[in-house]
Every structure is written in C-alpha cells, then in structure tokens.
C-alpha cells in the first residue's frame, strides 16, 4: 500500500475548493484512459463541503457525468430521504444538479427498504452490488475505485469504522452492518478496511482544530484497530487533505505537500 502524503491548505474553504479541483482532474483523466470513472463519496461537513465546491466549480462540466459511478463508504441506516443520510446530503450538495446516470448512483440501502431493520442483510446486498460491478481486472470483490474519499472523525474513525469496535477488525467481508456506533445513529452500513484498500487512491479529509488530535494520532504510527484512519490506504496513493487547523499538531517535517 502507498505511503501517506499530506497537502495542507490555509483554511477549510480553500481545502474544499482545491480538493474539488483535484477530483475533477482525477475523474477526467480516468474517463480519458478507460472511458469511465468510479468514485466513493463521504459525508460529513468536509465531504459535503467538497461536493458543494464541486457544484460551484466551472470546470465541473469537464466531467462526463453519465460515465461516472458513485458509491458510498458508509451510510446511516435510516429511511430513504432522511436528512441525516449521506446520500440525501450529497444530492442536495451536488448530485441533483448534474446529469448523472441513475443506474450508476449506488446508494446504500435504507431502513425502509426491502431489508427492513436487518442491517446485516442490507450490508450483504451492498457487498453483492459491489461484487457484481467488479471486473476480472479488479482481482477482488469490489471495483478498483479511482478515488475513495473519507472524512476523519475526532476519534480517528473513518466511514463507520470506529476504534476497537468489531467492524474495524473485519478482514474478510467488504461491507458490514454496524451496531452500537458511539456517534448517532447507532446503526449503520460501512465498507471495511479491505474494501477501502482496493481503491487506487484514498483521500482523507480533515479540517478544524477538533480534528487535529485525530490527525496526529493516525499519522504517528498508531494501529488501525485503535485508530481506523491509520489503516485507510490506497493501492497507488494515500492523500491527507488538511487545513492548517487540522494539521496544527503535526511535526513540520510532515508538511511538504504531495505532488499534484
């Protein structure tokens, strides 16, 4: 897996704008080389901030939205359309404003869907959808995502993989149901670390002083069970996209920006 690289921006607004520009470039490059692109979205203030910046970027029209597959790293197991669901927030921030192919928007199941309250069945269904999309060239049960984005929580959680909970220890399944999450709602669906590591590039987003300790812990050599963000790596690239507040507890030796 790749070694983490850091890009530190002055503030969260600049971070969101620069990350959006970087994502446009990555999608366009993938579509130019293979015809399609595949991206995993994240929720939270930084993930939604990036999507809003992308919606406002004139260069967004360089993307062929009809040839883009969108997936999610995790989801709150709530009814369809609930304002707390990541997909609902993503639609408001960007998705409803661009000409996506609905068949290529792979939202995670909702609690009022065919699986009802059975979050494990919902996780299995999403795992099956991922496996169906994986081609022979992927050598696994998930597609080789071009970019997989993750927000970093103050406790170092990524997706819905929380420190010490069973989901972060999963080594076989690609998607799991999460019970008893310390952040509400307690029931969620999440990709696992093996699925996350299938991505070509993993981008971890963190902005704000409340994320500084988590960033420092995850980049200090902590174990992934204690600090899930430490285990989120891409096959070819791992980017930590930070603002200066989130990077404030890192040694300056880690600051050199990653190459474009």
């Amino acid at each position: 897996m790749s070694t983490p690289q850091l890009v530190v921006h002055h503030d969260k607004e600049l971070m969101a704008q620069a990350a959006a520009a970087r994502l446009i470039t990555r999608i366009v490059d993938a579509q130019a080389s293979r015809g399609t692109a595949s991206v995993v979205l994240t929720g939270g203030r930084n993930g939604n901030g990036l999507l809003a910046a992308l919606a406002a970027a004139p260069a967004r029209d360089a993307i062929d939205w009809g040839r883009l597959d969108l997936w999610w790293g995790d989801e709150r197991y709530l009814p369809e359309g609930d304002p707390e669901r990541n997909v609902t927030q993503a639609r408001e921030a960007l998705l409803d404003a661009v000409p996506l192919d609905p068949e290529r928007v792979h939202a995670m199941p909702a609690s009022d869907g065919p699986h009802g309250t059975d979050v494990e069945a919902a996780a299995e269904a999403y795992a099956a959808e991922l496996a169906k999309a994986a081609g022979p060239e992927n050598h696994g049960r998930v597609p080789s995502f071009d970019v997989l984005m993750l927000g970093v929580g103050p406790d170092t959680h990524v997706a819905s993989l929380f420190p010490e909970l069973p989901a972060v220890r999963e080594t076989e399944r690609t998607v799991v149901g999460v019970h008893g999450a310390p952040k509400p709602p307690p029931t969620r669906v999440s990709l696992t670390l093996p699925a996350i590591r299938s991505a070509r590039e993993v981008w971890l987003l963190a902005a704000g002083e409340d994320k500084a300790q988590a960033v420092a812990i995850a980049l200090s050599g902590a174990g992934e069970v204690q600090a899930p963000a430490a285990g989120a790596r891409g096959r070819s690239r791992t980017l930590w996209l930070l603002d200066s507040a989130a990077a404030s507890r890192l040694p300056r030796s880690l600051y050199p920006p990653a190459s474009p």
Side-chain angles (χ1 to χ4, degrees):
M1 291 186 294
S2 55
T3 301
Q5 298 174 296
L6 274 68
V7 180
V8 181
H9 298 281
H10 178 68
D11 56 40
K12 65 181 181 180
E13 288 79 15
L14 284 174
M15 185 190 89
Q17 292 165 9
R22 187 184 293 272
L23 183 60
I24 291 169
T25 299
R26 188 69 189 85
I27 292 170
V28 170
D29 286 348
Q31 290 180 335
S33 63
R34 296 192 315 279
T36 63
S38 180
V39 172
V40 179
L41 301 181
T42 185
R45 70 185 189 218
N46 293 316
N48 291 323
L50 186 155
L51 294 182
L54 181 51
R60 80 180 199 189
D61 294 333
I63 295 172
D64 185 340
W65 294 99
R67 293 189 293 134
L68 176 64
D69 281 283
L70 294 179
W71 303 85
W72 271 262
D74 75 319
E75 187 56 275
R76 298 167 173 95
Y77 201 55
L78 297 168
E80 183 69 32
D82 190 288
E84 292 300 309
R85 276 176 60 84
N86 289 332
V87 66
T88 306
Q89 296 172 9
R91 291 188 187 283
E92 293 174 354
L94 171 68
L95 307 191
D96 286 346
V98 292
L100 291 159
D101 178 352
E103 296 297 316
R104 303 183 84 158
V105 178
H106 307 275
M108 286 183 162
S111 63
D112 59 349
H115 312 291
T117 59
D118 190 346
V119 69
E120 298 298 342
E124 290 175 8
Y126 204 67
E129 189 171 355
L130 285 164
K132 183 179 179 181
E137 71 279 5
N138 298 135
H139 307 292
R141 294 171 293 159
V142 297
S144 294
F145 309 114
D146 291 295
V147 176
L148 184 150
M149 295 182 288
L150 297 167
V152 180
D155 59 355
T156 74
H157 84 266
V158 289
S160 284
L161 306 177
F162 293 89
E164 306 285 354
L165 292 189
V168 77
R169 303 176 187 269
E170 180 63 46
T171 60
E172 298 297 328
R173 291 179 291 172
T174 58
V175 189
V176 292
V178 176
H179 305 271
K183 180 181 178 181
T187 307
R188 297 157 174 253
V189 178
S190 182
L191 298 189
T192 62
L193 286 177
I196 288 169
R197 291 170 182 154
S198 71
R200 294 181 175 90
E201 297 192 13
V202 169
W203 299 3
L204 297 106
L205 313 174
E209 176 62 32
D210 62 326
K211 305 294 180 72
Q213 184 65 20
V215 170
I217 291 171
L219 289 170
S220 69
E224 62 193 37
V225 173
Q226 294 76 31
R233 302 283 184 94
R235 290 190 290 111
S236 63
R237 198 174 209 190
T238 304
L239 277 179
W240 283 75
L241 303 176
L242 311 171
D243 75 347
S244 57
S248 61
R249 299 194 187 185
L250 292 172
R252 296 296 300 185
S253 61
L254 291 179
Y255 264 49
S259 57

